[in-house]
Amino acid sequence: MKKGEYLYGKLGEVDEKYIDEAENYTKKSENRKNKSVSSGTKTEKVEGVIKITERKRRLLPAAIAACFAVTAVSLPLILSRNSVKVPSSDISEVTQQDSSDDENVQEYTDEQSEENNQCLPSSIYEMNSQTNEYELVYRSMTDGNTEDDGFRNPDIYSWPVETAISEISDYLREKNNLEYRNEGFEMFRTGGYELYLTTDRDIQEHLDDVYSDWHYFPEVLSSVDDEPIQSAFVVMDYSGHILGIEGQLGTKTCNLGWNAAYEGGRQIGAAITPVASYGYALENDIISYSSYHRDTYLPEGTVEGFDNWPLNYDGAPSEGSYPAYYFLKNSINTLPAQILYNNGSSIIHEVFDFATRKLHLDLDPDGDADYAPLALGYTKTGPGVINLANAYMPYGNGGKYYKASIISRCVAPSGEVIIDNENREGEQAVSEETAYIMNKMLTDVVEKGTGTAAQLWNTPVAGKTGSTENWRDILFVGMTPDYLSAVWIGYDKGENEWAIERANSAGIWRSVFGTYANENSSGRSFPECESVSEEKYCAATGLKASEGCTEGGTGYFKAGDPYCTFCGGQE
């Protein structure tokens, strides 16, 4: 049996787009001077040259087979969401079987081969909170790996290790202008790097336990292929350190499969509104906490193909007028749409720039700068759970943003620290006033809106729910003064409206992590803002109430917000 046939038999049919991508990667690698050739190919020295054989196209391409044979971990990065577990004995069989009848022999000089073989293993370390020391949790396998210290990689890598491998691979790909993540992974695998992770083992062990128990999630299968529910979760602190992560639901059984927390690709529903329309409008004084707006459709013809748009999740608009915080806490769709419409002077592109440049939300410029994506969260692909939670960070952090990372630092073989996430300045993404007021609006969501199931008794919670069409996905972003977290629950391919509609993302968040956050609360509060005042607002205008106003409730106002002058009084 040929090597390619063996792998083909193990993995089955491979989507043509992945074959094309891998072949392009192979051709590019072959043409790059002084670049290591795929170590999964069969090599033999004949009369001063190195012969390298290629696979036939109907089988797995050389680039995939190389990565698979050397590491048995990077293959699913470019194949598909469906991960495959192959025993190490099988991998050995693949790499050592004869390929004498393979075609298309190419030649490389001895000098090039010697350069390609100069590679160093990379290592990943994780902090042991009990000993306060870093422990080795992963070491890449290379020809230059001669260490015999008794360490062996676990058969199944943890979610933090897999996330770190993806993150460093993407970092090296971008830094070196490479085309594919696998190229970045190969640089890491053979480059002698040391990665130190930000993981909190107590939190990670807690999440591992919860995510191995389907009790917390709907167990109803989808309408397509009897697919079980899936979920992903992330917890980070307000410096961007990822403390715990789950890329899929269920006991982990394979390496480098689909990581839904890191990769994303799902719509997020109304969870987009605080980091898009509401965030932009509050930052730019288009709305205030209590400014009044009408629950109504946009003018007919504004959105192509719809006469009456948008509907609310419970049907047609009520045509009543309510304060801005009321729209947000009840996930009413019409105000986010009206913000984008801006009385006919569309600010769609301004809101898109705010979401992507200020809050760094991963959106597609070709498909997401439009009404439905920015008002309802019907994005072309959608951000990952990590990226979504990260975008909310300024609202619990005095307006500051730190990019989320599971890497504390990365040290190159030369000793140079090329990534240092312990000594970096945060970015002031929004003003302290906007952050404080938005935090109050998100607290309303949990105290008296769609997120009441997330309430805790020992620490404050702010957050936002989200759901997509036909309840295919539900989400919750939850913030306490100590932790920022997000959960996604849904089906990869199919849907089951009955199952998801009766689930509650805020309640699942509470069961998965909220109780842990409650029991391990530091007692801190969210950051204060001295320039924001807490005052009564006018029931007619939503402005700060003057002496002659009928009070509508308590609001939160920026220093420059005016008092009402329409009710016979002025202060």
Side-chain angles (χ1 to χ4, degrees):
M1 180 181 291
K2 299 178 184 178
K3 287 186 283 186
E5 291 174 344
Y6 181 86
L7 285 172
Y8 188 83
K10 278 288 180 184
L11 297 175
E13 294 289 343
V14 179
D15 194 303
E16 285 293 315
K17 67 179 180 179
Y18 299 117
I19 293 177
D20 292 338
E21 178 179 320
E23 285 192 334
N24 290 334
Y25 166 74
T26 304
K27 293 174 182 177
K28 183 177 179 181
S29 297
E30 290 167 356
N31 293 329
R32 185 179 294 117
K33 186 176 181 180
N34 296 329
K35 189 70 176 176
S36 175
V37 296
S38 176
S39 57
T41 56
K42 175 73 175 181
T43 65
E44 58 176 320
K45 186 172 182 180
V46 180
E47 296 181 355
V49 300
I50 301 296
K51 290 187 177 180
I52 299 174
T53 58
E54 293 182 341
R55 309 288 184 264
K56 297 179 181 179
R57 192 180 190 281
R58 76 175 183 85
L59 304 178
L60 284 177
I64 299 181
C67 234
F68 189 91
V70 175
T71 65
V73 297
S74 62
L75 178 61
L77 291 175
I78 59 174
L79 280 181
S80 70
R81 291 188 177 193
N82 299 321
S83 53
V84 180
K85 182 181 178 183
V86 180
S88 57
S89 58
D90 294 341
I91 299 168
S92 177
E93 180 179 348
V94 172
T95 59
Q96 302 199 11
Q97 285 189 1
D98 180 46
S99 61
S100 59
D101 54 351
D102 282 347
E103 301 173 353
N104 301 326
V105 176
Q106 297 182 0
E107 294 186 352
Y108 289 79
T109 67
D110 286 331
E111 182 180 353
Q112 286 176 306
S113 177
E114 184 177 353
E115 290 178 0
N116 292 337
N117 286 330
Q118 291 177 355
C119 53
L120 298 171
S122 293
S123 302
I124 299 178
Y125 298 87
E126 193 174 72
M127 177 64 73
N128 184 325
S129 57
Q130 296 182 345
T131 64
N132 202 32
E133 294 180 351
Y134 279 101
E135 293 180 351
L136 180 64
V137 293
Y138 169 88
R139 179 185 291 144
S140 63
M141 306 305 295
T142 72
D143 292 340
N145 187 358
T146 59
E147 296 184 56
D148 189 14
D149 54 8
F151 175 80
R152 296 293 182 271
N153 284 329
D155 291 336
I156 303 300
Y157 304 150
S158 68
W159 283 117
V161 166
E162 293 205 359
T163 304
I165 290 174
S166 294
E167 184 179 335
I168 191 61
S169 298
D170 283 339
Y171 170 85
L172 293 172
R173 174 181 58 83
E174 294 170 7
K175 183 179 180 181
N176 294 279
N177 296 316
L178 305 175
E179 189 170 358
Y180 301 111
R181 180 187 292 172
N182 264 13
E183 296 177 276
F185 173 73
E186 187 67 9
M187 286 190 67
F188 169 69
R189 187 185 70 82
T190 62
Y193 295 96
E194 292 182 355
L195 286 188
Y196 296 86
L197 305 190
T198 60
T199 319
D200 182 312
R201 282 192 174 177
D202 289 339
I203 291 177
Q204 187 61 47
E205 289 174 3
H206 170 80
L207 293 179
D208 287 344
D209 288 342
V210 172
Y211 264 69
S212 65
D213 187 350
W214 293 74
H215 167 76
Y216 299 97
F217 303 88
E219 296 185 48
V220 181
L221 302 180
S222 79
S223 57
V224 177
D225 298 330
D226 289 334
E227 178 191 9
I229 203 85
Q230 263 304 335
S231 180
F233 201 97
V234 68
V235 183
M236 64 185 75
D237 63 22
Y238 288 97
S239 294
H241 300 133
I242 295 176
L243 306 177
I245 186 168
E246 296 292 326
Q248 288 188 15
L249 180 59
T251 301
K252 198 168 183 299
T253 59
C254 61
N255 290 327
L256 286 182
W258 180 252
N259 186 338
Y262 183 82
E263 303 293 350
R266 302 307 298 264
Q267 295 181 343
I268 59 175
I272 199 173
T273 57
V275 292
S277 55
Y278 284 118
Y280 176 86
L282 189 59
E283 176 78 342
N284 292 279
D285 301 322
I286 296 172
I287 65 170
S288 68
Y289 175 88
S290 54
S291 57
Y292 273 83
H293 307 271
R294 191 175 180 183
D295 178 22
T296 189
Y297 294 121
L298 294 184
E300 184 175 337
T302 300
V303 178
E304 185 177 354
F306 294 90
D307 293 333
N308 297 312
W309 193 91
L311 290 170
N312 293 323
Y313 74 92
D314 58 351
S318 69
E319 300 298 332
S321 293
Y322 310 100
Y325 73 85
Y326 181 87
F327 282 85
L328 178 59
K329 76 185 181 74
N330 290 301
S331 279
I332 299 174
N333 293 332
T334 51
L335 181 52
Q338 290 171 35
I339 291 171
L340 296 170
Y341 179 67
N342 194 35
N343 295 318
S345 300
S346 171
I347 56 172
I348 285 176
H349 292 290
E350 289 85 345
V351 171
F352 181 87
D353 286 347
F354 172 82
T356 56
R357 296 183 181 181
K358 289 288 188 178
L359 300 181
H360 305 277
L361 193 66
D362 287 340
L363 298 176
D364 188 336
D366 294 328
D368 292 341
D370 209 342
Y371 280 104
L374 295 176
L376 307 183
Y378 291 173
T379 53
K380 185 176 181 180
T381 53
V385 177
I386 295 173
N387 180 250
L388 176 62
N390 203 178
Y392 274 71
M393 180 182 289
Y395 300 145
N397 201 30
K400 282 197 171 183
Y401 173 92
Y402 295 84
K403 184 177 180 180
S405 177
I406 202 163
I407 300 172
S408 173
R409 69 182 189 278
C410 176
V411 183
S414 63
E416 177 188 3
V417 179
I418 61 172
I419 298 176
D420 185 357
N421 288 327
E422 301 305 320
N423 298 285
R424 54 178 177 163
E425 294 293 327
E427 172 189 341
Q428 195 69 39
V430 298
S431 69
E432 291 184 41
E433 290 181 323
T434 294
Y436 183 84
I437 295 172
M438 181 61 79
N439 185 277
K440 292 299 183 182
M441 295 172 76
L442 294 172
T443 299
D444 288 340
V445 172
V446 175
E447 291 186 351
K448 46 195 173 185
T450 59
T452 54
Q455 291 178 7
L456 302 175
W457 62 92
N458 196 37
T459 186
V461 182
K464 184 68 185 78
T465 55
S467 61
T468 62
E469 191 171 9
N470 292 328
W471 302 88
R472 185 184 179 198
D473 313 271
I474 56 175
L475 307 97
F476 184 75
V477 181
M479 301 187 294
T480 72
D482 299 306
Y483 304 110
L484 171 61
S485 57
V487 63
W488 162 78
I489 305 103
Y491 294 104
D492 275 341
K493 299 176 183 177
E495 59 187 45
N496 190 316
E497 182 176 346
W498 183 88
I500 298 294
E501 185 178 6
R502 285 160 177 75
N504 186 304
S505 59
I508 292 174
W509 174 88
R510 185 180 185 275
S511 298
V512 170
F513 183 71
T515 51
Y516 181 97
N518 190 77
E519 293 169 2
N520 293 274
S521 170
S522 67
R524 290 195 294 261
S525 300
F526 287 112
E528 297 289 334
C529 181
E530 294 182 358
S531 60
V532 171
S533 60
E534 181 179 339
E535 303 183 43
K536 299 296 183 179
Y537 64 84
C538 173
T541 65
L543 301 172
K544 293 180 182 178
S546 298
E547 186 175 342
C549 294
T550 300
E551 295 179 355
T554 300
Y556 303 90
F557 300 94
K558 296 180 181 180
D561 288 341
Y563 284 92
C564 177
T565 60
F566 302 98
C567 299
Q570 182 176 3
E571 189 170 311

